[in-house]
Amino acid sequence: PDVLPWRVDRAGPVDYGHCFICIDPEKLRPGAQFQGDLAKYLARMRGLQPADVGAPVLVPGDPEKSEEAQASSGGVRLNRNVAAGLRSLAHELGCEAELPPGIRDL
């Protein structure tokens, strides 16, 4: 009741469902045992034979780490519609000159 419904156009609820669970691994495996066991598990998973010999075995978080590294070096990739929306907003606010060329020149 205290959380407003998610809306796209504010005309009606989007009907999203969310569940948040917080777990403190220290409570399950004290003394940094969890981190050590997790590191061994992830190394074992990444060391498996890949289904596609041209692609590595990935574990949750690997694609995100790769995307973060690319964003740090080359900037954040934006959906074309989002970039066009930013360009439109910059035009309305009179700050188009501040946009990076990739968005300004769409």
Side-chain angles (χ1 to χ4, degrees), residues 13 17 28 41 66 68 79 93 96:
L28 302 172
Y41 173 77
S66 174
E68 182 178 1
N79 172 289
L93 298 174
E96 290 171 286

Side-chain angles (χ1 to χ4, degrees), residues 15-84:
D15 197 23
Y16 286 157
H18 298 283
C19 176
F20 298 92
I21 300 173
C22 299
I23 299 173
D24 181 358
E26 183 67 19
K27 302 294 185 200
L28 302 172
R29 304 278 305 196
Q33 291 177 18
F34 177 82
Q35 292 299 327
D37 290 347
L38 179 60
K40 289 178 201 171
Y41 173 77
L42 294 177
R44 183 175 178 197
M45 292 298 107
R46 290 183 180 117
L48 293 173
Q49 181 71 33
D52 177 353
V53 294
V57 173
L58 300 176
V59 298
D62 285 350
E64 292 80 3
K65 286 177 188 171
S66 174
E67 185 68 26
E68 182 178 1
Q70 289 176 347
S72 292
S73 64
V76 176
R77 294 185 299 169
L78 294 178
N79 172 289
R80 188 172 187 80
N81 292 336
V82 171

